[in-house]
Amino acid sequence: MSAVPRSDKAEKPAGRFRRMLDRLSSSQEDLESEELQEDAQASGCTRIAECHDRQIVRVTGTLRTVTLRPRAGVPALEAELFDGTAPLDVVWLGRRSIVGIEPGRRLIASGRISMSHGRRVLFNPKYELRPLGQE
């Protein structure tokens, strides 16, 4: 009879130990993805992987890349936003640069999703830069 309580006690530390081992054996990218997903859920944003064409969304994540890529002769600032589930291209038409839009910066963007060449794109979104202390 005393073996049952011991196995219960043994399972609890094993569970914590298992989680600790999982975190230690996870890659840095996996840990960052998990953190970004938790941040998106906590801020009430839609996960990028769940966004569909023509849907109005509010998403959050980290800018992985920021490039200047003209579209039809018009300057366009493009950035890839990643929330741990999928990438999203964010494009500001007619802009060569925007203060604070740089790789590694976290932000919240909202607008209507469109699909271009099989990728999710958000054109000229409303956006909020996340405070640097939260990165």
Side-chain angles (χ1 to χ4, degrees), residues 36-84:
L36 288 169
Q37 289 178 45
E38 290 171 3
D39 184 45
Q41 184 177 16
S43 61
C45 292
T46 305
R47 294 172 39 174
I48 293 173
E50 297 171 355
C51 295
H52 304 289
D53 192 27
R54 310 292 301 150
Q55 179 182 4
I56 295 176
V57 297
R58 184 171 185 257
V59 295
T60 188
T62 299
L63 296 175
R64 286 206 248 185
T65 61
V66 178
T67 57
L68 178 62
R69 185 170 301 149
R71 288 179 173 247
V74 177
L77 185 65
E78 293 188 9
E80 182 182 82
L81 184 70
F82 184 70
D83 73 347

Side-chain angles (χ1 to χ4, degrees), residues 87-104:
L88 169 70
D89 294 333
V90 183
V91 180
W92 289 273
L93 298 170
R95 303 296 300 262
R96 294 183 188 280
S97 66
I98 298 173
V99 175
I101 301 297
E102 56 196 27

Side-chain angles (χ1 to χ4, degrees), residues 13 20 24 28 31-33 35 37 46 69 75-76 80 87 93-94 101 111:
M20 185 177 73
L24 290 173
Q28 184 65 27
L31 294 174
E32 288 173 3
S33 291
E35 181 182 321
Q37 289 178 45
T46 305
R69 185 170 301 149
E80 182 182 82
L93 298 170
I101 301 297

